Amino acid sequence: MFRSLIPAQLLSKLDGYANQGVKLVGDVPLELLPINGLPLSLRCSVSRLPTLPGNLLVRHSLICAPTFLRPSDFHDVLVVRSFQPFDPIRSLLEVAISVVLRSQSKVKVKFVDVSNEQGFIEAFNQFSGKIAIFDGHGVQSADDPQGTLSVGNLKINPVQFYGKILLPPIILLSACETHTLEGFESSVASAFLFMGARSVLGTLAPIDARGAATLIARFLFRLEAFLPVLRRPMNWTEVVTGMLRMSYVTDILFKFEQLDGVPHGTYRGVQMTANVAINSGDPEWFEKVLCELSKQTNLTDEQVRLRWRDTCYFSETLRHVHLGSPENIFVTPE
């Protein structure tokens, strides 16, 4: 259905870029466009630059100078957290990170709890690292062109702090609806871009708190385990795409285990196959995942493919969208 709305000439070009880098400009969520059966954001290394608010598009289009970071630049991570004390999901990210990262990990995560505007501003301004996470609630009302984050009892759009806040180049948003499918004028994610962030991982829709916490925790593990073994410079789009691909496979395996009534982790070998193929840059990584699942479940390749499409195609991972100019950020070996 989605493909039928796209001009044939553009489709032909996009199909030809399978397994390569693609830059989208605009407010249409083309990341979800199927390319050889798989969403564009997973088939290729993809980022999108929104056109709004204000002169956001012009600003980022003029920022062409590359930024070079080393794995050690990601050793300090800030989490700006805003939940009510009684919120049942308040500690999910902290617990997920404690499970994934070793106690002696070089990646150190600092949680700062904020409940008002000044606390929100100071949390970022007192941080000198390269990557920060917002962990809290977000919402985009159909009646309001601006998305908001819940900070204490307030609903704020970060753009209101323009000129008052210093942001790291990379922002991850563990909150709902920070850049919705409808493409509103000023989403939370685009506000962070407008204020100086170069790369923002936002969310297209409401997200499951546990799934989001797991994704962020696994991403921090990627900073610890994957970046230090890089043998060549890699742009940030590729780093994020690899993480999203592995997370997508996890979503699929979890759903298949539910359907088959088997214990969690039964198909762990499929995840290993996926991780090796993804991290080695194998363009057939997803096809290998389906093939391995076929062996593990005793289903035919076609049965596996149909089950995937019918039950877990639009998984939690696909609700995330990579925005900004991450292709100009490069991680280089130490």
Side-chain angles (χ1 to χ4, degrees), residues 17 43 53 80 94 107 112 134 160 169 179 192 197 230 233 242 258 275 280-281 299 308 310 318-319 323:
Y17 278 105
R43 183 62 75 185
V80 179
E94 191 169 11
V107 177
V112 178
F134 177 82
Q160 69 192 68
H179 195 80
F192 275 107
L230 286 177
Q258 282 186 322
N275 292 354
S280 63
L299 297 173
W308 157 60
D310 291 342
L318 270 191
R319 298 177 184 223
L323 303 166

Side-chain angles (χ1 to χ4, degrees), residues 126-141:
Q126 294 174 6
F127 179 64
S128 59
K130 304 302 181 183
I131 181 169
I133 300 160
F134 177 82
D135 184 28
H137 293 291
V139 66
Q140 176 73 69
S141 169

Side-chain angles (χ1 to χ4, degrees), residues 304-332:
V304 167
R305 189 174 290 272
L306 287 174
R307 177 190 271 191
W308 157 60
R309 288 175 178 169
D310 291 342
T311 66
C312 51
Y313 181 89
F314 190 64
S315 73
E316 284 292 319
T317 298
L318 270 191
R319 298 177 184 223
H320 291 78
V321 58
H322 195 190
L323 303 166
S325 306
E327 66 277 4
N328 293 325
I329 301 174
F330 292 87
V331 183
T332 64

